[in-house]
Amino acid sequence: MLSYFPNLYPDELLYSWFARYHDHSGNTSSKQTMKELFGNMSSAAVVDFPNNLEAFYQNIAHFNPPEINDVITNHSMYSYYVAFQSESMKSRAINYINNGGKPGAIHMFLGIAASTIKNWHYLRFCPSCVQKDREQYGEAYWHLSHQLPKVFYYHLHQELLHDSNIEFRNPHKHEFISAEKAELSPPHLITVFSPKLGQQLKKFSDESINLIRYTDNTQIQDFTQIYKYLMQVNGYANHFGKVHQQYFTQQFKKYYGEEFLKLVDCNFDEYSDTTWLRNIVRKHRKAFHPVQHLLLLQFLNVSFKDLENYIGKKYEPFGQAPYYCLNTAADHYKKRVIPKVAITTCADTRKPVGTFSCDCGFVYSRRGPDIDKADAFKVGRIKNFGSMWQAKLMQLATSDSSPYRIAQVLKCDYATVKKYMSILKGKSSNIDELPIDLCIQKEAEWLKLIEAYSEFTVTQLRAINPALYAWHYRNNRNWLKENHPRTSMKVTVNKRVNWEKRDLEILDLVKRAIQKLYAIEKPVYVNKSRVAKEIGQLSLLEKLVDKLPKTKGYLNKHLETREQFQIRRIKWACRKLYMENESNIVAWKVRRLAGLREKLSNVVETALENEIRLYQQGEMQSEIKAMDF
């Protein structure tokens, strides 16, 4: 039983707590300290996820320490790394910290080991904190908030954090080293960031602190739903949730800048379809580093502490139902009586178009999304005035009101009043003799048909429901003429193209693009669509390449097949792994780095085996060294 154990300081790492005990106890052997703390000498001195805490707590229970869950939450990296994990993964991490397990297992199942974002190489400190700790407690200690990944500034003092001389992954794995045993003097040469970059780093530091403070109070299981909603609200996804990936990635990189993204290990190729940024706004099929989540949230103007406010929210481009009826002839004018809205997509702008149909027969539409409350009272196009509006018009007309006066009362255009007055007065006797309910029903059916097939012409609609068209043609012809689908006029431009000259121009652009794509260090698939996008002529090369014979011949000769691309990736992956470590050239590592699927063609499988064998037999080393030289 321990006869002494120090108090735990605010924001102190458990590693630091154990290290101070080692100093205070006077033990000369690290393994002796391990045995006193954990009851064995095989435990490892880990900075971020110390384990076997159940055994440790049994040894210090008589000192009435804080609750074990509070200690794990507030004095280890647990809160930081599980913030975006599922409940089952959080329970698994807690179990590992309490009861121990295979060394490094927690870094594997939380996705830390596989992440491109690495921890700091050394334990870090804030000079002002060191001075304050010594004045208040008589000794300095390692702070949790100083060790958070990619946090360059301490949030309270707004000054740069510095590296100590103690490695984060100590090669002496059983040794706890306290802050007082480390070199805590600021370096002579201090990194200076530009004002803009400094502000970005400080803001990111603040958000990292919010993450560890509010993780325990945030219960979110589906981040995909929240990100989808935020992307829609900010205009980076349409009302169906489809992300405008190219625009989104360009704006993201423009917002942060490459210098900042490189500092936090999150830079990416904005033209690649497999970057972390594109994947994080899709359905989550793998773990993402908290740094990546924080960058996305900051870009979308949301703090982690407010994230719970967006749980279950659904994007409504026209606000929540019910919606306003804007029929000036109805007694429910500007009242919320329309239960739902039919949303389609504008063919020109790709923005949502809402069609609002009231029981009074009034049907109108407008293009969204609504920006402010006043937009809810705007009418883009009136598709049907309805029988109530028409009855009001005839009532005003028979009361000797002038068309100008009627237009003022009904809040519409003078020409609209004149047109409908002539239509209503000129209706055939057939329509007058028909039951009004039947007429309204047939008109509603035709309007629904137009709404369901908004891109169709009258001829195409007639083919879908010939009986309905025939009824209106015989009994309600004037109304039918006024309620046909609006089709845009096609403008034919007689512009002759010199295809021979165009062929030479495109050929020159294609040659440069292919040379540029093949020169990219990490191979990209050089196919026709990639080349076409590179030169901004996708439609031309997809549809009219037969009119460019020289360009077509060059493409056929220099584009690569999927197998050729996979073999290039294999060669690149082997070379990269060899440059990092000669022993890295194994099949599974090459497959993962090259992004290969499990099922490959026989040609690619053979190429993979041959390339690995060449490295393992030492036949490629001299060639690579010569290339490097």
Side-chain angles (χ1 to χ4, degrees), residues 339-357:
K340 61 182 180 179
V341 57
I343 301 178
T344 55
T345 304
C346 177
D348 296 328
T349 64
R350 309 308 300 169
K351 290 185 177 182
V353 176
T355 300
F356 306 84
S357 303

Side-chain angles (χ1 to χ4, degrees), residues 204-414:
F204 180 76
S205 300
D206 293 340
E207 278 305 306
S208 297
I209 295 300
N210 282 335
L211 181 64
I212 61 175
R213 281 181 179 172
Y214 295 98
T215 295
D216 202 37
N217 298 325
T218 303
Q219 304 296 326
I220 300 175
Q221 290 299 305
D222 189 5
F223 286 95
T224 306
Q225 171 265 319
I226 294 177
Y227 289 164
K228 175 183 175 181
Y229 172 76
L230 292 175
M231 291 287 285
Q232 290 173 315
V233 169
N234 285 276
Y236 300 111
N238 65 14
H239 51 284
F240 295 120
K242 184 178 180 181
V243 178
H244 312 304
Q245 289 284 12
Q246 194 63 40
Y247 174 68
F248 166 58
T249 51
Q250 288 174 350
Q251 293 301 308
F252 187 91
K253 180 163 281 194
K254 184 178 179 181
Y255 177 83
Y256 285 110
E258 288 212 14
E259 185 179 6
F260 175 84
L261 292 174
K262 286 178 180 177
L263 275 177
V264 296
D265 293 341
C266 288
N267 200 17
F268 58 90
D269 178 7
E270 61 187 87
Y271 299 104
S272 173
D273 192 49
T274 57
T275 61
W276 71 265
L277 183 61
R278 294 197 181 201
N279 287 329
I280 201 172
V281 294
R282 293 167 176 155
K283 184 176 180 181
H284 289 185
R285 294 180 174 85
K286 63 178 182 179
F288 295 91
H289 197 281
V291 168
Q292 295 169 334
H293 283 282
L294 290 176
L295 290 181
L296 177 61
L297 290 173
Q298 185 176 323
F299 175 71
L300 297 174
N301 300 312
V302 175
S303 174
F304 180 82
K305 64 182 179 181
D306 301 322
L307 207 55
E308 274 198 321
N309 298 334
Y310 299 95
I311 296 177
K313 282 207 170 185
K314 185 179 178 182
Y315 178 62
E316 302 285 356
F318 300 98
Q320 295 184 343
Y323 304 97
Y324 294 104
C325 176
L326 302 181
N327 183 1
T328 53
D331 55 1
H332 54 260
Y333 175 55
K334 286 190 176 181
K335 291 184 179 180
R336 291 183 175 272
V337 294
I338 300 178
K340 61 182 180 179
V341 57
I343 301 178
T344 55
T345 304
C346 177
D348 296 328
T349 64
R350 309 308 300 169
K351 290 185 177 182
V353 176
T355 300
F356 306 84
S357 303
C358 184
D359 291 340
C360 67
F362 190 77
V363 182
Y364 69 97
S365 66
R366 69 169 176 275
R367 189 163 57 194
D370 289 353
I371 305 301
D372 53 44
K373 293 181 179 180
D375 290 340
F377 299 101
K378 291 181 179 179
V379 175
R381 174 188 172 193
I382 296 176
K383 295 187 174 182
N384 188 16
F385 284 96
S387 57
M388 186 178 291
W389 186 91
Q390 294 177 9
K392 181 70 173 178
L393 173 66
M394 292 306 297
Q395 178 186 348
L396 292 171
T398 55
S399 64
D400 295 331
S401 296
S402 67
Y404 288 105
R405 177 57 185 162
I406 296 173
Q408 290 177 342
V409 173
L410 295 179
K411 297 182 180 179
C412 62
D413 188 72
Y414 168 78

Side-chain angles (χ1 to χ4, degrees), residues 49-52 69 72 78 81-82 85-112 287:
F49 292 105
N51 55 72
N52 205 18
N69 286 341
I72 293 172
Y78 167 82
Y81 281 109
V82 302
Q85 298 283 358
S86 64
E87 288 300 320
S88 61
M89 201 63 73
K90 291 178 182 178
S91 299
R92 189 176 175 186
I94 283 286
N95 182 63
Y96 179 91
I97 294 171
N98 283 333
N99 304 309
K102 186 178 179 181
I106 192 169
H107 298 89
M108 295 294 292
F109 66 70
L110 288 180
I112 303 170

Side-chain angles (χ1 to χ4, degrees), residues 359 361 387-388 435-445 471:
D359 291 340
S387 57
M388 186 178 291
I436 190 167
D437 290 341
L438 176 62
C439 183
I440 292 173
Q441 178 187 342
K442 294 292 185 181
E443 289 178 353
E445 289 178 16
W471 188 93

Side-chain angles (χ1 to χ4, degrees), residues 16-17 120 128 139 217 290 327 391 414 425 517 528 571 578:
S16 175
W17 197 22
W120 300 108
S128 296
E139 59 183 338
N217 298 325
N327 183 1
Y414 168 78
K425 289 179 180 179
L517 291 172
K528 185 165 70 174
K571 292 179 180 290
Y578 173 77

